[in-house]
Structure formats: structure tokens, C-alpha cells
Amino acid sequence: MLIEGLMNRGNGALLEQVVNFASQRHKLILENIANVDTPGYRQKDLSVERFSSMLRERVDQRRRTGSASFDDTGSKVEYPMRGILFHDRNNRSMEQLATDMAKNAMMHNLAIELLRKQFQQMDMALREKVV
Amino acid sequence: MFDSLDISASALLAQRTRMDTIAGNIANMNTTRNTRGEAVPYRRRFAVFASGRPDAPGKVGVSVAKIEIDRGPFRKEYQPSHPDADKEGYVSYPNVDLAVEYVNALEASRAYEANVTAMEVSKAMMNASLRLLA
């Protein structure tokens, strides 16, 4: 109960959602890259803006009411029309995919790193000694 | 998380299959006879990609739906002394265009590289996640 309280009060739940979102989005980007030569394939993506605004909403809610659930912040799959629609009806954009993948991986690793730091601090507090 | 590698792997497999058909086309670009020794020229083959994986239903990725045969016209060359020449003295050569094959090969190898890079990124992300345990 103590641990659960510790985990849910700070950024833990938030970071967990960020990691979840980033890994889901990574899978979609991988699918897009895999299908770069498939005729008629439509690029898929998750909206980062919608996710972050939803997260912000939940944080505000937690601040006001004292508790909020951070589950189910995953957005639904979108089919953005960006880049050029090629003759094989595939709207690929390799540069866009590469940038998205790099940004997304960085976001994921940042969240993981922050989580790790948090766990370390918690560990430190539990052991009552500095590692 | 671990199935993200499978997505890229399916693309590697598909691009390699495509590369195989291109290699077959280039190797056979002057083949005027079929396997039975009849004077039927080789026809260009190409891989048709489809989203999804029939071998693993429900999983995302890409797969080669089938290897199509190009029904385009043969290349005619005037060589009356050739044993496979027709009545007018023309030999039918396969409908393989080297320039087209080169461009496709380049595209396939670049797509392969892109998927390998994507796999590296997946591995880095997985490593970061696994370090949470340590």
C-alpha cells in the first residue's frame, strides 16, 4: 500500500503511460516502414498532441480532485494524409518516418531513464543509504 | 514489445524475396529457352507485396502475396543464324530491362537497410526497458 501510494503520487504513472504510448507508436512506425513498398498501403500513426493533451487533462484532474486514473490514455490509430500520394496509392515519406522513429525512441528512452531514476531514489529511501 | 522485431523481420524477408526475383531476372536476361529446352524465352518475374502476414494471422507486417509473371512483349533481335530464330530471322529475348531491374534492386536494398535500422532502434528501446529491472 505504501509502495502503491509512492508510485501513484509522483510521475510514475505518468511516465508509464508515456512508455506505453511510445512503444505502441513505435510499432506503427515499424509497420509503416515495413510497408514502404506495398501498393495501396495507408500510413498509420498515433497523435502525440492528443496524447499529451489527454495526459495534461488527467494531471489537472489529479491536482483538483486528488486522484485520477492514468489508464487508457492511448489514442486511437489515425491515417494522416501527409507527403505525396504515389501512383501505387501509398503515401510513404521515408524522411518523415525516420524522424518520427528517432523522436519517438528518444521520448521512450527519456521516460525510461526518468523512471529508472525514480526507482533508484525509492530504493535509496527504502535502504536508508546512498548507493 | 518483442513482436516489434517480427514486424521488421517480415519486411526483411519480403525485400530479400524481391531481391531474389530481380537476381533471377538479371541472370536470365538472355535466356531464350525454357527448362525443357524449347525455344520459349524467359519471362520477367516480380514480387507483389501485401500488408499483413498470412503465416501469422493477426500480426502486422508485410509479405510477398505472389510472384507475378510479366506479360509484356519480348525483345526482338535480328539474328538469322541463331538456332532459336523465327521464320523472319528474329530471335525473341526475355522482356527484362536491365535499367528497371537495377532501379528495383536499389530500392529493395535501401528498404532492407531502412528496416535493419528500424530493428536497431527497437533493440535500443528494448535494452532501455530491460535496464529498469537491473
Side-chain angles (χ1 to χ4, degrees), chain A residues 16 18-31 101 104-109 112, chain B residues 1-9 53 59-60 118-132:
Chain A
E16 199 183 312
V18 173
V19 172
N20 262 341
F21 175 82
S23 58
Q24 271 174 35
R25 187 157 181 253
H26 181 68
K27 265 183 210 163
L28 286 182
I29 295 171
L30 284 184
E31 196 188 343
M101 185 169 66
N104 195 55
M106 275 179 214
M107 187 165 100
H108 176 271
N109 289 353
I112 289 276
Chain B
M1 191 73 211
F2 288 102
D3 51 349
S4 61
L5 281 176
D6 293 346
I7 303 174
S8 296
R53 287 166 54 198
K59 294 273 184 71
V60 294
M119 272 179 135
E120 295 290 339
V121 175
S122 302
K123 269 162 58 188
M125 282 169 75
M126 270 182 235
N127 270 338
S129 297
L130 287 175
R131 273 202 319 182
L132 272 180

Side-chain angles (χ1 to χ4, degrees), chain B residues 105-115:
Chain B
L106 194 66
E107 209 178 285
S109 85
R110 287 286 181 268
Y112 194 95
E113 277 171 31
N115 280 293

